[in-house]
Amino acid sequence: MKFTLSVEDLDGAVDRVKYVHGMYVHRFRTTTRSVARQSFHYLQGKLLEKGNGNMCSYAKDVPDCDNQSLQHFISSSPWDHRPVIDDIQRDVTRFIGDAENGALQVDECSFPKQGKHSVGVYRQHCGRLGKIANCQVGVFLGYTKGPYRTLIDERLYLPRAWADDEERRAECGVPEDIAFKKKTELAWEMILNAQRNGVPFGWVGMDSLYGRDAWLRRQIDDEGMIYVGDIPCNMRVWRTCPRTGVPARKGERGPIPSKERVMDGEPQPIEVRTLMDQLDDEDWETVFVRDTERRELWAEMVCLRVYPVVDGLPGDEVWLIIRKDVDKDRVKYQLCNASAEASLDRLASRYWIERAFEDGKGIAGLADYQVRGWTGWHHHMAMTLLAMLILLLLALDMGEKAEFLTVQDVKEILEEILPKREITDEELLSLILEKHKQRASARRSHHRRNQ
């Protein structure tokens, strides 16, 4: 187990935070005013907060800071969040960008809210609660390369009832050029923006809401990109392509048929979960999926060529990936447009984007905000993405000397050394080393059990 982390490395963490923030200082200046100081205070609040937080708690934790200045910085200061996000994509590309093993990942996050005045709040599906509830929904773009992951873009979903309500739009400061867009359209917008910014990637991963959408899959395919999209278990496919055509009119009466359809006598499509039940044991292959922060994960996997149903007709031939995690009673289904000769092992996991959302919500305050307007929501999200970038870069730096170091470890280091030294560097170093020993022991135990 590699562990050569030193006291000097911990001391350098604070300087690294200041250095990264310094690369973004110009984004928080206008021709008449600078809010760079407030931007650093907001970042400090995020990095210092233990558990859920908000601007009031940030103001208590950060020296020489007050709630009013943070509220102004997030809710009404005129700095533009888009250049900040573009710079984040630039830096993610610089440090972990990989045209073969990197991946863009599309997912969404819902934020339960009370009342109806916060921008975009509506009774809609709330993934966090697993039901229809009053919430905001953000569509996010993440970037993953092996265990390294972070969020690199965001869009607030504005339901049509909001997009068409001029009074509520004005109250929350929704820009005039913002029109209603489906979530899949917001996702495609972010993918194209990342491509324009030169973010390198080998494929696009998608949550099932996006993976099942034939329009989005077609857009990605037409651009020559590879997608791996989760799909629901009741999605229907054909194993062999059925004959289609415009049927002849039966008899002399009635309209002449003009719409293409599957011809009579052809097999019906079946749900992917039904297809899985028809497979034999020898169809499955045990493959290595990923190396997590605690252990290796393996899965039983089968890959089949299928034709998904698109508007009642067979779509293009694609891969259907069915995966059963070895140690979990869970089955995942995915579609992938890679060539028939492609090796799909490295494409068939969205584990790390799920961890990116855990990082965002658990240690970067993604869901911790008290703003109602359009500007405040986007400012908060841009600062969250910047905090996640800082944690990623520190994990990269320190990870060279401590192989099991996680972004959670980095967050805990900053909680102790960023404001004041409540424990000594030596004590903190000892705590991190003990975590490494526990993770190494857990990996060895899991390996022995699965031999």
Side-chain angles (χ1 to χ4, degrees), residues 51-118:
N52 296 334
N54 53 47
M55 281 177 273
C56 290
S57 58
Y58 294 172
K60 293 177 182 177
D61 292 336
V62 178
D64 303 319
C65 177
D66 64 83
N67 178 48
Q68 185 175 358
S69 67
L70 292 182
Q71 189 67 249
H72 170 75
F73 167 71
I74 286 296
S75 297
S76 55
S77 184
W79 61 275
D80 188 351
H81 73 284
R82 286 311 315 171
V84 173
I85 289 177
D86 289 340
D87 285 354
I88 288 170
Q89 294 189 8
R90 172 206 65 197
D91 288 332
V92 168
T93 296
R94 179 152 57 112
F95 289 103
I96 63 169
D98 190 318
E100 181 179 0
N101 298 307
L104 297 179
Q105 302 279 358
V106 177
D107 211 334
E108 66 180 53
C109 189
S110 50
F111 308 96
K113 294 290 177 182
Q114 300 296 322
K116 59 182 181 179
H117 299 292
S118 295

Side-chain angles (χ1 to χ4, degrees), residues 106 139 183-192 210 216:
V106 177
V139 184
K183 294 176 183 178
T184 49
E185 292 175 312
L186 297 175
W188 181 233
E189 192 176 272
M190 289 190 292
I191 293 169
L192 288 179
Y210 304 88
L216 182 56

Side-chain angles (χ1 to χ4, degrees), residues 105-107 109 138-142 151 153-154 190 357 366 381:
Q105 302 279 358
V106 177
D107 211 334
C109 189
V139 184
F140 291 85
L141 188 70
L151 301 179
D153 207 348
E154 48 75 13
M190 289 190 292
F357 274 103
L366 181 75
M381 291 304 167

